[in-house]
Amino acid sequence: MSNAHNRKRQAEAHSDDEGEAGVPATPGGGMVFGSSPPPTASRRAGGSRLQLPPSSPPAFLGDYDMDEDDDTDLSGRLEEAEDLEAEGELLALEDEDDEGEDLFGPGMDRDYQRNATLDTYDPAMLDDGTEYGAMDPADRARVEARLRRRDGEAAAAASRIPLAFMQDDGDDDGDAWGRRRGARQSKHAHLLAAAAAAQDTERVLTLDELRDTRGLSVAAWVSEAAPRQTIAREFRRFLLSYTDDHGASVYGERIRQLGAANGESLEVAYAHLARARPVLAFFLANAPREMLAVMDDVAMDAVLAMFSGYARIRGAVSVRVQGLPTTCSLRDLRQAQLNSLVRVSGVVSRRTGVFPQLKFVKFDCGKCGAVLGPFAQGAAAEVRVALCVACQARGPFTVNSEQTVYRNYQRLTLQETPGSVPAGRLPRHREVVLLADLIDCARPGDEVEVTGIYAHAPDASAAARHGFPVFATVIEANHVARRADEFAAVRLTEDDRRAIRALARDEHVGRRIVRSVAPSIYGHEQIKTALALALFGGVAKDIGGKLRTRGDINVLLLGDPGTAKSQLLKFVEATAHRAVFTTGQGASAVGLTASVRKDAVTREWTLEGGALVLADRGVCLIDEFDKMNDADRTSIHEAMEQQSISISKAGIVTTLHARCAVIAAANPIGGRYRPALPFSQNVELTEPILSRFDVLCVVRDEVDPVKDELLARFVVQSHTRSHPLLAAQPEPEPEDPAVPADGIPQDLLRKYIMYARETVHPRISDRFSDRIAHLYAELRRESLATASVPITVRHIESMVRLAEAHARMHLRDYVRNDDIEVAIRVALEGFISAQKISVMRALRRKFSKYLYARRDHFELLYYLLGRLVQERLTFYALKYPGSLPEQVEISKPDFESQAAAFGVNDCDDFYASPLVTQQMFTIDAQRNVICKRLQTTE
């Protein structure tokens, strides 16, 4: 028998085996992980057409492994195929009438005649007479393990899978061969074996060929059969071969976790795909609908390879793309982004219920009863049947509800984050469609980041209203990430973290943060300290899931007009990671809490969150708080203490989160605060609402020559430095103490606050309980005696929250004694400032040990020094009318004695501070005086 005959028979046998194996189908709609149908596309090689039958492997690609890194020229393989065709050994047969050698023709008996040359065998190779004993089971298992390891290594080398995946089987005998390979057992070795067994025989296009779209759009190119098979092959390789820095499989572990949790979403990082398969990443961004259909099938096959019965749990697995590098705002979405992958962020303002949507629909013919379908239901138009294929009837057709496949459907209204809306603009919103397991992933008030397909569909109602075709745009969500953490707007880099930790090591970081709060506003140290503590916040406690204590700090600013209350609120809005600003006159009860409205599409009642809901995990700023109606103020009682909003309207009974700090600014009755009257007669606020504020700050516009001079100088210098002509020039060093030389830039301060709120959760010790209890008893006694601001148990919690916020400001895990002192001082300042002027002085003397303990005395000492200078100038003007001295001298002992009366016993740091030198003070140590130079002699 000729060699040609033998080769042809072997090829036919091999072809029959391949045909019997078939191409297994999976519930995921794709290919079995590790095997796929052979290509049906034709190739041209030098003008000759090569076409393979469905049951045959590729003619010249089966024995080669073309990786994406190999730019191998196919000309050699085409020439080889032509040679095989010329010899009559090509496996593919184009037609049954093709001429070939007739095996049953004349002379066929010569193939079975004895040939002494070919029928001779080497006796050494024969073992007919040898008898073998039974192999020990342990030896057999050891040999089989070696064979499996050898086959696995060969398969890994063939499929270009890293050797780190081919890991040791853990033989008991400590196989030296396995130790030489230095391999470890992989959890996903069976995935790799499946991929290696396929030998990538379906490969039709190389990556270079896949990049060439041949003049077609990306969506049209990806929809063709050959590119789809190449994409499926490359994405399968990506899932198997992508490893982390330690050589461990990234997506093999994610698939294992998905199966353990019975999930149906496999998260794929876009950065990983762009690094390993940039062509697939480019196609995914520009044709996401077509790409995700292929990737979902491959993901389902990958899960089935690890969990063979997973199809009985989940019918499909969806690939969720996370970390798209480009972010677009809702107001910047344009026609260029249609049908592409976009990433947007915003606040959920409205959410519908969950509805069943048709996925694959079947119809029953009303005349013959035939079942038609299944038909894939798209998002753009409803599937309709025009003709029955069985009886040729045109209806009626009804949906077969038993065999129709449904999926969950929900819509969200995504609104721009309040802090990102340009000034004077209305916030934009977009509809987001959630399918499958993405439903109920967010609720009104949550800030989310959505990655999805920006799609459009005809809007019949709008078209009828406008008289021309109008398309409504929606975002078909693929991945939704809730920003439950505090990093709502900025992601910190490693450089940011190093700068934050370096700043926290500064001993005076607390003083620097307070000075950096609204540095363009002079003075108001008490208010700035309270606002800084409110930005950091305390620690919320959830006691066994039954009782929740808020950690946010509420602040009320009450004072005269022109004291920069609104400007302080605006600074907090610009600094806080999430803030909602509203005014009392423009806010109603439903605008602050939540409203119920009827959906225009589903005609159902839906919830829409108000300002407090949108500010969840942030700050809600309310200006002109006194202008609100009593009914509207009463509606926020629950939100300020329980931090929730209960709704019972239109048959909807639910609770929304309002976990935010409330900072309000109000004007007193008559426009100006009258210190001769108690606090309750200066403001039209009830005791229930006042007790919910942790800190009360009374701002008075008092006449003080020294402070007025400093304030006027500061305002003039601020306008000078802010002139447009000087914007391009470097800003000079500040000469006023209100502009701190060691201030923190607002951007760094914002990141510092985010980092502290996210990572630091200080704890308070029981050893401070006696001190707080003693102070609370004293405050209760004074509150009853003065009949001013009521002191309740909430003020104990307020001091605890303030102490935790001060510890968090310094990035400490435990509350220290100085944190307690600052918390007590801030609480006492608010309580004392709300008293009548006659009572205020007595309370300051009584609680002086709390008010002047461990605080920054520089402003106080400067005030005392300025008052002494003013007294000297007044005396000099009376003695020498019409003239001013060149300098004023203050005795150091007199100054230090007055400082000691306020609890300050060490003034050395004050003498060495820039505050003294900037205000033209000099210290004469020999004469023991402080000199103030008033004018320069010519």
Side-chain angles (χ1 to χ4, degrees):
M1 182 171 50
S2 63
N3 295 333
H5 292 170
N6 293 333
R7 285 196 298 268
K8 176 167 287 190
R9 289 175 180 176
Q10 293 173 3
E12 290 175 353
H14 179 68
S15 178
D16 293 340
D17 294 340
E18 293 290 337
E20 292 174 2
V23 180
T26 65
M31 301 162 287
V32 170
F33 199 59
S35 64
S36 57
T40 58
S42 60
R43 300 274 188 178
R44 291 186 179 272
S48 62
R49 180 179 180 87
L50 304 179
Q51 184 174 2
L52 306 183
S55 61
S56 301
F60 54 89
L61 298 179
D63 298 329
Y64 293 87
D65 182 22
M66 296 185 295
D67 204 3
E68 68 276 7
D69 298 330
D70 300 336
D71 295 331
T72 307
D73 189 5
L74 297 181
S75 60
R77 302 186 184 183
L78 295 174
E79 293 175 0
E80 180 183 353
E82 293 175 358
D83 296 339
L84 295 176
E85 183 181 14
E87 295 177 3
E89 298 180 357
L90 186 63
L91 301 182
L93 302 178
E94 295 187 5
D95 196 271
E96 294 182 356
D97 298 334
D98 288 348
E99 295 184 0
E101 183 179 358
D102 187 4
L103 300 180
F104 297 94
M108 61 173 290
D109 55 340
R110 291 196 301 269
D111 293 338
Y112 302 96
Q113 293 179 359
R114 181 175 180 81
N115 190 334
T117 305
L118 299 178
D119 295 343
T120 303
Y121 302 96
D122 187 1
M125 301 297 294
L126 300 177
D127 57 353
D128 295 340
T130 307
E131 295 183 1
Y132 296 95
M135 181 178 290
D136 184 76
D139 296 338
R140 179 183 295 276
R142 194 174 298 112
V143 172
E144 291 178 351
R146 291 188 179 184
L147 294 176
R148 286 196 304 270
R149 193 183 307 111
R150 182 197 65 186
D151 296 340
E153 183 187 11
S159 59
R160 298 295 180 93
I161 296 176
L163 191 60
F165 289 98
M166 304 312 303
Q167 298 168 358
D168 192 11
D169 288 334
D171 295 340
D172 296 335
D173 60 348
D175 184 22
W177 181 87
R179 289 194 300 268
R180 281 198 311 271
R181 304 303 300 177
R184 298 170 298 147
Q185 176 62 32
S186 172
K187 296 179 181 179
H188 317 292
H190 58 285
L191 295 180
L192 308 174
Q199 290 295 319
D200 294 323
T201 56
E202 78 278 16
R203 202 175 274 207
V204 178
L205 300 176
T206 64
L207 283 179
D208 289 337
E209 294 172 334
L210 184 63
R211 292 187 184 98
D212 183 11
T213 60
R214 302 176 184 177
L216 301 176
S217 64
V218 176
W221 173 248
V222 173
S223 301
E224 293 190 356
R228 286 175 64 90
Q229 292 183 7
T230 306
I231 291 169
R233 176 199 69 204
E234 295 300 329
F235 184 65
R236 182 177 68 246
R237 285 185 171 182
F238 165 75
L239 292 179
L240 292 177
S241 61
Y242 192 85
T243 60
D244 56 14
D245 296 337
H246 304 286
S249 175
V250 174
Y251 294 98
E253 180 64 22
R254 292 189 184 183
I255 292 172
R256 187 189 64 81
Q257 295 176 359
L258 182 145
N262 290 339
E264 52 182 317
S265 293
L266 176 63
E267 292 189 354
V268 174
Y270 188 88
H272 296 173
L273 188 63
R275 190 179 303 117
R277 301 292 191 277
V279 180
L280 300 190
F282 174 76
F283 286 173
L284 177 61
N286 291 275
R289 201 184 308 275
E290 294 78 8
M291 287 290 297
L292 288 173
V294 180
M295 296 166 68
D296 291 347
D297 291 341
V298 175
M300 184 63 186
D301 297 334
V303 176
L304 289 175
M306 182 177 292
F307 305 97
S308 57
Y310 202 74
R312 296 191 297 269
I313 301 175
R314 300 292 184 187
V317 171
S318 302
V319 173
R320 307 296 182 190
V321 182
Q322 63 178 5
L324 195 69
T326 57
T327 303
C328 186
S329 64
L330 292 178
R331 65 176 57 245
D332 293 335
L333 291 175
R334 295 292 184 270
Q335 177 269 340
Q337 284 92 359
L338 279 177
N339 298 320
S340 62
L341 204 63
V342 296
R343 175 184 171 190
V344 297
S345 61
V347 179
V348 178
S349 62
R350 190 163 58 93
R351 184 182 70 177
T352 67
V354 180
F355 304 100
Q357 186 193 40
L358 297 176
K359 184 178 181 181
F360 298 105
V361 57
K362 287 189 176 184
F363 296 94
D364 292 336
C365 179
K367 292 187 176 180
C368 66
V371 179
L372 309 178
F375 303 99
Q377 173 64 52
E382 181 182 359
V383 173
R384 298 182 180 274
V385 180
L387 184 68
C388 176
V389 296
C391 64
Q392 306 301 317
R394 297 185 177 273
F397 302 103
T398 58
V399 176
N400 188 325
S401 58
E402 295 182 358
Q403 301 185 31
T404 296
V405 179
Y406 298 89
R407 60 183 172 187
N408 296 322
Y409 175 89
Q410 190 178 47
R411 293 174 76 98
L412 297 179
T413 300
L414 194 66
Q415 183 176 303
E416 283 183 302
T417 306
S420 64
V421 180
R425 305 289 186 87
L426 294 176
R428 302 290 180 86
H429 60 85
R430 284 286 189 275
E431 294 292 322
V432 179
V433 176
L434 305 180
L435 300 175
D437 61 333
L438 293 180
I439 61 165
D440 288 339
C441 62
R443 58 194 305 174
D446 291 341
E447 186 172 359
V448 297
E449 193 175 70
V450 178
T451 301
I453 305 173
Y454 186 51
H456 65 284
D459 191 345
S461 60
R465 185 167 57 253
H466 295 286
F468 56 88
V470 177
F471 291 88
T473 57
V474 297
I475 299 176
E476 300 175 4
N478 174 263
H479 181 267
V480 178
R482 288 182 57 189
R483 285 177 170 177
D485 57 340
E486 304 299 334
F487 295 89
V490 179
R491 296 297 174 183
L492 299 181
T493 63
E494 188 59 32
D495 294 338
D496 295 334
R497 296 177 183 273
R498 282 196 294 267
I500 289 171
R501 288 191 289 265
L503 183 61
R505 287 192 291 269
D506 187 358
E507 182 181 355
H508 304 290
V509 62
R511 181 196 307 169
R512 295 180 60 184
I513 291 175
V514 173
R515 290 185 178 182
S516 301
V517 173
S520 61
I521 299 175
Y522 176 77
H524 299 316
E525 180 190 358
Q526 175 199 353
I527 300 177
K528 292 182 179 181
T529 303
L531 294 180
L533 295 176
L535 285 173
F536 283 91
V539 180
K541 286 87 174 178
D542 193 356
I543 306 173
K546 300 178 181 178
L547 177 62
R548 186 182 184 277
T549 304
R550 64 180 172 93
D552 297 293
I553 299 173
N554 301 326
V555 181
L556 174 63
L557 307 181
L558 178 70
D560 298 332
T563 51
K565 299 187 300 296
S566 299
Q567 291 296 326
L568 289 169
L569 296 186
K570 284 296 183 181
F571 176 84
V572 174
E573 181 188 13
T575 306
H577 66 280
R578 186 175 182 182
V580 177
F581 188 92
T582 183
T583 58
Q585 282 186 326
S588 61
V590 295
L592 289 174
T593 57
S595 62
V596 178
R597 53 178 291 185
K598 182 172 289 187
D599 187 84
V601 178
T602 62
R603 310 303 299 170
E604 289 193 352
W605 293 100
T606 58
L607 283 177
E608 187 165 359
L612 292 170
V613 177
L614 297 179
D616 186 38
R617 296 185 177 273
V619 182
C620 182
L621 306 167
I622 306 176
D623 199 4
E624 305 293 341
F625 191 63
D626 57 301
K627 305 300 190 297
M628 294 178 61
N629 298 328
D630 292 337
D632 297 337
R633 277 198 297 264
T634 305
S635 65
I636 68 174
H637 283 187
E638 180 189 5
M640 290 185 65
E641 190 60 35
Q642 281 74 35
Q643 295 195 318
S644 62
I645 295 175
S646 300
I647 300 295
S648 180
K649 299 177 182 179
I652 299 177
V653 180
T654 185
T655 301
L656 300 177
H657 289 309
R659 297 161 294 184
C660 62
V662 177
I663 302 179
N667 291 322
I669 298 176
R672 297 191 66 86
Y673 191 89
R674 291 174 288 180
L677 299 178
F679 185 83
S680 58
Q681 298 181 17
N682 273 284
V683 63
E684 291 182 348
L685 297 178
T686 60
E687 291 188 2
I689 195 72
L690 288 177
S691 65
R692 284 169 166 81
F693 286 101
D694 300 286
V695 182
L696 298 178
C697 298
V698 177
V699 192
R700 298 175 183 173
D701 187 9
E702 299 177 335
V703 178
D704 189 309
V706 176
K707 286 189 175 182
D708 292 344
E709 178 187 354
L710 294 174
L711 176 60
R713 182 186 302 172
F714 172 81
V715 172
V716 173
Q717 291 179 353
S718 177
H719 279 269
T720 303
R721 290 193 300 267
S722 304
H723 196 276
L725 297 179
L726 301 177
Q729 301 179 6
E731 186 175 347
E733 292 293 330
E735 299 180 357
D736 197 89
V739 182
D742 57 347
I744 303 173
Q746 186 175 6
D747 184 58
L748 179 58
L749 177 62
R750 191 179 191 210
K751 295 177 181 178
Y752 187 91
I753 294 173
M754 294 181 195
Y755 180 83
R757 290 178 66 97
E758 173 66 17
T759 60
V760 181
H761 306 282
R763 299 176 58 186
I764 188 170
S765 175
D766 293 337
R767 60 191 179 94
F768 300 117
S769 59
D770 293 339
R771 189 173 184 181
I772 296 177
H774 180 68
L775 177 65
Y776 172 71
E778 292 187 21
L779 288 177
R780 287 275 290 182
R781 185 165 53 251
E782 295 295 336
S783 175
L784 293 176
T786 58
S788 59
V789 179
I791 298 297
T792 63
V793 182
R794 289 172 177 164
H795 290 81
I796 301 178
E797 298 178 347
S798 299
M799 286 185 281
V800 173
R801 282 190 285 266
L802 291 170
E804 292 173 345
H806 193 264
R808 178 177 277 177
M809 184 185 296
H810 294 77
L811 302 187
R812 289 195 290 260
D813 293 330
Y814 292 91
V815 175
R816 300 192 321 192
N817 186 51
D818 55 341
D819 301 325
I820 295 292
E821 291 177 351
V822 171
I824 292 176
R825 175 168 58 84
V826 172
L828 275 177
E829 286 281 2
F831 174 73
I832 294 176
S833 63
Q835 308 297 325
K836 293 190 298 183
I837 190 170
S838 58
V839 181
M840 184 190 307
R841 295 171 181 173
L843 291 179
R844 285 193 180 277
R845 287 193 299 268
K846 182 175 183 178
F847 294 103
S848 60
K849 62 179 180 179
Y850 298 110
L851 294 175
Y852 304 109
R854 290 182 181 268
R855 63 175 298 177
D856 185 0
H857 306 290
F858 289 0
E859 294 290 337
L860 173 64
L861 295 177
Y862 180 76
Y863 171 75
L864 294 177
L865 189 58
R867 191 172 64 179
L868 291 175
V869 171
Q870 187 66 32
E871 291 176 358
R872 296 293 191 277
L873 290 175
T874 303
F875 177 77
Y876 190 88
L878 294 175
K879 188 175 181 179
Y880 305 101
S883 63
L884 287 176
E886 295 181 359
Q887 69 176 15
V888 177
E889 296 181 353
I890 307 296
S891 173
K892 285 183 62 178
D894 293 344
F895 171 70
E896 292 175 356
S897 63
Q898 293 196 19
F902 287 91
V904 182
N905 299 315
D906 186 6
C907 300
D908 292 338
D909 292 339
F910 173 71
Y911 295 148
S913 66
L915 181 61
V916 175
T917 58
Q918 290 173 1
Q919 298 304 313
M920 294 182 291
F921 284 100
T922 57
I923 310 299
D924 192 343
Q926 294 181 354
R927 300 170 53 199
N928 204 20
V929 295
I930 305 173
C931 300
K932 167 72 173 179
R933 185 162 51 90
L934 298 180
Q935 63 183 15
T936 305
T937 59
E938 296 182 0

